[in-house]
Amino acid sequence: PDDRFSVIWERTTYVSAGTYRFYAMADDGVRVYVDGHLIIDQWSEHPTQSYFGDIYLGEGNHSLRVEYYEEGGVANIRVWWDRL
């Protein structure tokens, strides 16, 4: 359905050591976890907005988890990261 649903995405990714900025652009609720640490917490109904959170990561594999829910209107979610 295009309204009233939720989804969780999980993956492991390898990164070089450094500080990373994680971004989320979402219409309605979004949470982003890195290695179990909550980096972005915007669990509310709202039009598409952008958020970010920073975290230092050592070199190696790290777990990422994105939780998203869509209440109504436009379903929109995008998550990405950059090394600072």
Side-chain angles (χ1 to χ4, degrees):
D2 57 1
D3 287 325
R4 295 186 179 89
F5 70 91
S6 61
V7 64
I8 295 172
W9 292 282
E10 295 180 315
R11 73 176 280 182
T12 299
T13 191
Y14 182 89
V15 300
S16 300
T19 300
Y20 286 81
R21 178 162 289 169
F22 286 79
Y23 301 89
M25 183 174 60
D27 173 352
D28 293 333
V30 60
R31 291 182 181 136
V32 177
Y33 297 84
V34 180
D35 294 334
H37 300 283
L38 184 59
I39 303 301
I40 297 172
D41 185 11
Q42 295 297 325
W43 203 248
S44 63
E45 294 176 36
H46 50 75
T48 300
Q49 296 181 28
S50 296
Y51 309 98
F52 69 89
D54 298 338
I55 188 171
Y56 178 84
L57 298 175
E59 183 173 357
N61 288 317
H62 296 274
S63 64
L64 309 176
R65 177 183 173 104
V66 176
E67 300 175 350
Y68 170 71
Y69 84 88
E70 164 57 21
E71 179 58 32
V74 176
N76 186 14
I77 177 75
R78 181 173 178 227
V79 175
W80 71 100
W81 57 92
D82 291 316
R83 186 173 176 204
L84 298 179

